[in-house]
Amino acid sequence: MDPSGAASQPTDDTSTAILRAKKSPNRLIVDEANADDNSVATLNPATMDALQLFRGDTIIVRGKKRKDTVLICLSSDDVPEGKIQMNK
């Protein structure tokens, strides 16, 4: 039972599945880059390890409007985890 006294609902209820947040490890928040290069994306080394990326790998970034961009991946400790630095 939950605190309101109602019976608790199962966690795998399909009627509320659309309301739950999706777990997507590949989704990163874009931050403005310091460099002037439009073909480079900078990530935290821990994020690169989680995504199994190496320095110099080419990655495809898909934006909000479903446009694809090919970038070269670099690492930097200055970038927070869960963020990616690139020119907007």
Side-chain angles (χ1 to χ4, degrees):
M1 266 195 191
D2 64 1
S4 66
S8 62
Q9 299 224 351
T11 58
D12 59 345
D13 187 14
T14 56
S15 63
T16 60
I18 195 167
L19 301 175
R20 288 192 298 267
K22 294 182 182 176
K23 296 179 178 83
S24 33
N26 295 345
R27 184 170 291 184
L28 301 172
I29 306 297
V30 177
D31 200 8
E32 188 67 30
N34 302 342
D36 201 25
D37 194 359
N38 290 335
S39 62
V40 173
T42 310
L43 288 97
N44 188 302
T47 306
M48 288 180 64
D49 288 341
L51 297 175
Q52 298 177 352
L53 294 172
F54 296 104
R55 190 175 190 275
D57 282 353
T58 54
I59 57 174
I60 297 177
V61 176
R62 179 169 289 147
K64 280 186 183 178
K65 298 176 184 174
R66 299 292 183 231
K67 287 196 173 189
D68 291 343
T69 305
V70 178
L71 301 169
I72 298 170
C73 187
L74 297 178
S75 66
S76 174
D77 291 328
D78 299 336
V79 182
E81 280 192 53
K83 290 199 174 187
I84 182 171
Q85 282 187 346
M86 57 187 282
N87 282 341
K88 294 182 182 180

